[in-house]
Amino acid sequence: MRIRHALATAITATTLAVGALAAPVQAAPAAARNAGAGPSAAASASDDVFYTTQATKQYTCAKTTCRVKRSLFKGQPLSISCYYVGQSVSGNKIWYYTTTWQYEYWVDGYTPGQHINTGADPRPGVPRC
């Protein structure tokens, strides 16, 4: 539930694009909240908010031929539940099962790892689907 609140807050801040309001509503990364809790807590992605590195899409499965659930813009905040090895996108076969906010509801789907700022694919601490 915390991650959905953090995502909704981040999306609201991005949508409003009001400088004075955007700064205070951004959530601290899980690594910062778990400082001193050990490496396994810092590596966990369950509470982290990630961002797309370019415009991309969320799919119903880990292939670009699957139905598109929604288009994502560059910098779109999303959460990652797990990773899946699927179709190669620009040489990267890692896909993440992601959740993001669209209008008034949450959308889940597969997003190519190539287009998310995870730092490494698969991201350490993210379980396999």
Side-chain angles (χ1 to χ4, degrees), residues 51-72:
Y51 299 89
T52 56
T53 57
Q54 67 183 55
T56 187
K57 293 176 173 53
Q58 237 177 1
Y59 297 91
T60 56
C61 71
K63 295 181 187 178
T64 57
T65 55
C66 294
R67 185 177 65 80
V68 174
K69 292 185 94 173
R70 78 166 292 188
S71 294
L72 304 172

Side-chain angles (χ1 to χ4, degrees), residues 14-104:
T14 302
T15 304
L16 293 176
V18 177
L21 296 176
V25 295
Q26 292 186 5
R33 288 192 309 271
N34 295 325
S40 61
S44 173
S46 61
D47 287 338
D48 288 344
V49 176
F50 297 92
Y51 299 89
T52 56
T53 57
Q54 67 183 55
T56 187
K57 293 176 173 53
Q58 237 177 1
Y59 297 91
T60 56
C61 71
K63 295 181 187 178
T64 57
T65 55
C66 294
R67 185 177 65 80
V68 174
K69 292 185 94 173
R70 78 166 292 188
S71 294
L72 304 172
F73 56 85
K74 181 179 179 181
Q76 175 88 34
L78 42 81
S79 69
I80 294 175
S81 299
C82 57
Y83 78 91
Y84 184 83
V85 179
Q87 177 188 5
S88 179
V89 175
S90 300
N92 186 343
K93 291 185 174 192
I94 301 299
W95 289 66
Y96 292 100
Y97 191 76
T98 59
T99 303
T100 190
W101 182 255
Q102 179 176 349
Y103 308 113
E104 296 181 5

